[in-house]
């Protein structure tokens, strides 16, 4: 079952460490971490060693920042493979 996870941490941009908080759809926390590594690595051209993940927690629908995640979650419940 797909859930929404909020992954927070720091990423190194230049010489500074910048905070991030990203909501992702995943079936388990380890999958959410992989998605964040992939997303930040591709968007900011970062190696995994420049990304420090501090916490991964499941969030409720009322806490989600990105509304498109809720739309994707509702579509997934309609379309079952």
């Amino acid at each position: 079952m797909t859930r929404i996870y909020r992954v927070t941490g720091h990423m190194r941009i230049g010489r500074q460490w910048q905070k991030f908080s990203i909501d992702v759809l995943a079936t388990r926390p380890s999958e959410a971490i992989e998605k964040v590594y992939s997303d930040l690595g591709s968007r900011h051209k970062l190696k995994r060693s420049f990304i420090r993940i501090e916490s991964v927690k499941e969030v409720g629908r009322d806490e989600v920042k990105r509304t498109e995640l809720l739309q994707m979650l509702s579509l997934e419940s309609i379309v079952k493979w």
Side-chain angles (χ1 to χ4, degrees):
M1 180 176 183
T2 304
R3 299 181 178 137
I4 302 170
Y5 291 94
R6 179 163 297 143
V7 181
T8 58
H10 288 85
M11 61 182 166
R12 186 172 176 180
I13 305 292
R15 294 182 182 208
Q16 297 179 352
W17 287 90
Q18 182 178 5
K19 285 185 179 182
F20 68 85
S21 176
I22 300 175
D23 294 345
V24 294
L25 287 176
T27 56
R28 56 189 189 276
S30 59
E31 183 182 340
I33 290 171
E34 282 299 315
K35 286 185 178 189
V36 168
Y37 277 137
S38 177
D39 184 41
L40 291 177
S42 65
R43 274 198 284 161
H44 299 284
K45 307 295 187 253
L46 295 173
K47 295 180 181 180
R48 289 176 178 233
S49 60
F50 292 147
I51 302 169
R52 293 184 183 162
I53 295 177
E54 296 171 354
S55 69
V56 179
K57 68 175 187 173
E58 188 176 343
V59 295
R61 291 175 178 254
D62 56 334
E63 298 177 61
V64 176
K65 296 176 184 176
R66 296 173 43 201
T67 56
E68 63 266 16
L69 288 178
L70 294 174
Q71 293 170 349
M72 289 171 50
L73 195 60
S74 65
L75 283 175
E76 186 175 295
S77 64
I78 294 172
V79 180
K80 300 266 181 175
W81 297 98

